[in-house]
Amino acid sequence: MTEPKGAAIATAAPAETQALDAAVFPVFLLQTTVSRCAAEGIDPEALCRGLGFVVADLDDPACRVSFRQASRLIRRALQSRA
């Protein structure tokens, strides 16, 4: 018996979601992004709000966030500057 064509896609989605949510992204880029935004008058706490970390967490070199968290912060920063 063969699996339906969509079955492979359905089983791949949870793995992709786990990869996006794994806390493996170093925060150096986010720290730089937040610092630059703050210099332009954008509230750094607002960029981090609801993402599961605060600005002070970005000062910890051992801190890691997920790709999803990082991309949301970067997207917010870009939208704030527009």
Side-chain angles (χ1 to χ4, degrees):
M1 183 172 187
T2 61
E3 293 183 20
K5 288 184 181 179
I9 294 171
T11 57
E16 290 175 12
T17 299
Q18 288 176 349
L20 292 174
D21 292 331
V24 296
F25 193 89
V27 295
F28 175 76
L29 175 64
L30 301 182
Q31 181 186 39
T32 303
T33 301
V34 167
S35 295
R36 182 67 189 137
C37 286
E40 294 183 17
I42 298 167
D43 180 17
E45 291 296 334
L47 295 174
C48 297
R49 191 169 294 125
L51 296 180
F53 59 89
V54 295
V55 174
D57 293 333
L58 302 179
D59 292 330
D60 180 2
C63 182
R64 298 290 184 266
V65 299
S66 71
F67 178 79
R68 190 180 311 274
Q69 290 170 306
S71 64
R72 286 182 180 162
L73 184 139
I74 293 167
R75 191 174 305 124
R76 287 178 182 177
L78 291 171
Q79 290 171 345
S80 296
R81 297 184 72 214

